[in-house]
Amino acid sequence: MKRIIFPLDVSQKNDAIDFVKLLKDEVEIFKIGLELFCKYGPEILNDISKLNVKIFLDLKLHDIPNTVYGAVKNLLNFNPFFITIHLEEYEKFRKFVFDKTNFKGFLGVTWLTSLDENSLHFLTENKNMSVIDFVLKKAEIYYKSGCCGIVCSAHEAKKVKEKFGNKLKIVCPGIRLSESSSDDQERIMTPEKAIKNGADFLVIGRPIREANDPLGICRKINAEINENLG
Ligand code: C5P
């Protein structure tokens, strides 16, 4: 199994299809997010799944259980591999969403990798709250709800792995080939370190998409990952 998840963060359907065709041998899962989905709707899911690849639907669903259930029921017609969700509690969601849909591919969003600890202090009005404590709390909610995994930065992956072992898949965005990258991501890490920290999947967008040779970069990252997996 490969570990790269490639986000199709492009505005044109044809560009997304071209990336899937180019990278499908080196990428495990293709992520469709808000940009493409808001432009093309579910039609984009049909077009990408025709290319026989796994789809990660990153719509970060966040609403009352009954509304999320209605949305998920419709999305399951397109056979996604993962769907992202935000939860603050687990009992109602387990009962009204997870048990009713019986879908096993929910990933819980913990703390966006574009946010740092200051944003968490501002939100919670608690200067003692650390990102790792917050992520572990959210991970517990996601585990108890029936999610198969969580999305977190590779900086938290190690502690999550220590606490949950293989009970939760760890999906890490904020991956950069060098630690000095400066875009909107805050808590970044290289693929090598992220895998050593226990990440199961790496979401890598711009470092691949903006490279002169996206396929070559994917091959290089896969080789590096395999080395670190021993
Ligand atoms: O281009 P880049 O590698 O930063 O892309 C990261 C992708 O992962 C984007 O599609 C972004 O929406 C997504 N993501 C993230 N942080 C999260 C969850 C998802 O960056 N916590």
Side-chain angles (χ1 to χ4, degrees):
M1 186 188 67
K2 290 173 215 86
R3 307 297 181 120
I4 299 178
I5 295 177
F6 181 71
L8 294 166
D9 293 333
V10 290
S11 57
Q12 298 301 323
K13 189 164 75 177
N14 286 346
D15 292 338
I17 289 173
D18 287 348
F19 268 122
V20 174
K21 287 182 178 162
L22 177 70
L23 301 177
K24 67 189 281 196
D25 289 340
E26 299 295 323
V27 163
E28 184 67 20
I29 305 170
F30 288 89
K31 183 167 90 68
I32 295 178
L34 291 168
E35 187 169 355
L36 277 185
F37 195 81
C38 290
K39 183 161 184 184
Y40 296 103
E43 148 199 345
I44 186 73
L45 306 179
N46 269 335
D47 292 339
I48 299 295
S49 51
K50 274 188 205 142
L51 301 169
N52 281 323
V53 291
K54 290 181 195 157
I55 293 179
F56 169 176
L57 249 181
D58 189 17
L59 302 181
K60 299 187 176 69
L61 305 174
H62 197 188
D63 212 316
I64 60 167
N66 190 52
T67 304
V68 173
Y69 168 69
V72 169
K73 212 173 50 163
N74 288 334
L75 293 174
L76 291 184
N77 291 325
F78 301 97
N79 201 22
F81 191 77
F82 288 141
I83 294 178
T84 41
I85 189 164
H86 278 277
L87 302 181
E88 283 78 33
E89 68 85 35
Y90 60 90
E91 279 174 0
K92 283 190 186 161
F93 273 87
R94 197 177 51 215
K95 186 166 165 203
F96 294 114
V97 181
F98 294 74
D99 290 354
K100 272 174 85 181
T101 60
N102 206 24
F103 177 57
K104 304 287 182 232
F106 284 109
L107 291 179
V109 180
T110 57
W111 190 240
L112 296 177
T113 40
S114 59
L115 297 171
D116 62 8
E117 202 146 82
N118 290 329
S119 316
L120 184 65
H121 293 163
F122 181 73
L123 177 76
T124 59
E125 295 191 340
N126 177 0
K127 285 219 175 309
N128 297 320
M129 172 70 79
S130 63
V131 171
I132 182 60
D133 288 343
F134 185 83
V135 168
L136 287 173
K137 187 75 227 169
K138 297 257 348 202
E140 184 188 342
I141 293 172
Y142 291 127
Y143 175 63
K144 288 183 171 164
S145 71
C147 281
C148 69
I150 61 160
V151 184
C152 65
S153 98
H155 291 269
E156 289 86 53
K158 198 168 188 177
K159 288 258 166 64
V160 175
K161 200 60 155 194
E162 275 165 21
K163 183 155 179 201
F164 293 92
N166 292 327
K167 290 191 246 171
L168 282 177
K169 293 249 171 287
I170 303 176
V171 176
C172 298
I175 302 296
R176 292 294 177 264
L177 305 185
S178 116
E179 271 157 15
S180 60
S181 163
S182 59
D183 48 35
D184 65 338
Q185 295 286 26
E186 284 289 340
R187 289 168 302 119
I188 60 171
M189 198 173 276
T190 62
E192 183 192 353
K193 282 199 184 159
I195 289 291
K196 280 190 183 147
N197 266 5
D200 294 295
F201 292 103
L202 309 180
V203 181
I204 316 180
R206 281 164 286 183
I208 295 174
R209 199 170 65 243
E210 291 171 1
N212 289 333
D213 174 13
L215 182 61
I217 288 286
C218 280
R219 288 191 176 129
K220 193 166 163 262
I221 296 170
N222 277 331
E224 207 176 292
I225 290 173
N226 287 335
E227 244 171 63
N228 285 284
L229 288 171

